[in-house]
Amino acid sequence: QHRGREQQRGREQQRGREQHRGREQHRGRERIVLLGKTGVGKSSLGNTIIGWKAFPKSHGPNSDTSGRVSFTETVHGRELTVVDCPGFFDTDPNKVSNDRTNILGRTDLNCAPGPHAFLLLLKVERYTPLEQKVIELMLKYFSDEALKYTTIVFTHGANLPKKMKIEDWARQNDALRDLLEKCGNRCHVFDNKMWRNQGQEDYRYNDRQVQGLLDTIDRAVEANGGTCFTSDLLKNTTLWERFRGAPVGFQIAAFLGICEFVTTTVDMATAIAKMQNPEWVQDNLPYIGVLTSAIQYLRMLNRLYKELRVEQNRDRFCTIL
Ligand SMILES: Nc1nc2c(ncn2[C@@H]2O[C@H](COP(=O)(O)OP(=O)(O)O)[C@@H](O)[C@H]2O)c(=O)[nH]1
Ligand SMILES: [Mg+2]
């Protein structure tokens, strides 16, 4: 019995050490990506987090892409790399591909092998249908996997009614509530201008919110098995697993591609057989007939698919994270 207890204690110690080591590993360096419309306060939040004016403020409504995009600083005992992604979510859907190279380029360069957290920035303001549209757009961009790493951060916290917590404020709006739930209800509020100094309330003080935010990120990273986010392409999955995880449209297209290959081959085989041995073709006409109908059917499917693709290109939304 005594030995049993010893073994149990040994196991617990081992588990504790492993957990500790896991935490240490990602505490070593956390990579955070800031996302949101121009003017929402990304650069300001970056500065609030790292504690000095590193990121330049944007002037005017045009998205600014100049200036350094990442800074590394020790904050509350963690080494943080904060990456600013200017101009994301400002643009119309037609520019999605530009944004895509923009964000993936930046996160790849500064965030290898991947970020630990996406901070999706929104303002505390009245939500008009236009803002709701932006939220819908954000949800379109983010895969479920990326949402597991996402925390919503509200800026302009001074607009938050007195004594109200940000969660309660956000839940009043359907689109925000939906977004919040998809992000595991992770959300924080800052006011990059007004909450710089400790006030009467801890809640309305940026430094406290930074601490809370970093804890939230830690918890999310832990829940995600201590790993950072990597896009599906980087994951070590078999071709079959990838195919199974692909959108249905892709699966159908791939299937039709294989069909097209088979139909061409059967067409060719029949033509060769006709040349080499017309009698054999005559004898097997019923079978060849069945094959030919099947081919025609597949061709029709393929035509349908091509039309579908034109339709798809018209609306070029895609999940990019
Ligand atoms: N009152 C207030 N102003 C803010 C806040 N965050 C940013 N700003 C201001 O909003 C403007 C745009 O901020 P910036 O950080 O450059 O936005 P970015 O384009 O998302 O990087 C600047 O004039 C900031 O001073 C905030 O929380 N409260
Ligand atoms: Mg900026």
Side-chain angles (χ1 to χ4, degrees), residues 37-45 56-58 84 155-157 190-194:
K37 277 171 68 167
T38 300
V40 72
K42 291 182 297 300
S43 306
S44 308
L45 181 71
K57 262 197 236 172
S58 63
D84 189 2
T155 57
H156 293 255
F190 290 81
D191 195 300
N192 296 307
K193 267 201 180 144
M194 314 303 279

Side-chain angles (χ1 to χ4, degrees), residues 93-153:
N94 295 328
K95 292 212 186 128
V96 161
S97 54
N98 282 347
D99 280 347
R100 181 193 169 126
T101 43
N102 188 351
I103 185 170
L104 289 184
R106 278 164 201 276
T107 52
D108 277 357
L109 272 178
N110 301 298
C111 272
H116 293 100
F118 294 110
L119 302 187
L120 195 45
L121 272 70
L122 293 166
K123 277 188 198 174
V124 178
E125 63 183 353
R126 220 171 66 80
Y127 276 76
T128 60
L130 185 77
E131 269 86 42
Q132 308 232 17
K133 199 91 205 141
V134 172
I135 296 172
E136 277 169 31
L137 196 72
M138 288 173 166
L139 280 175
K140 264 191 167 161
Y141 277 103
F142 277 67
S143 63
D144 288 347
E145 187 63 15
L147 286 172
K148 286 194 214 157
Y149 290 84
T150 304
T151 297
I152 308 297
V153 173

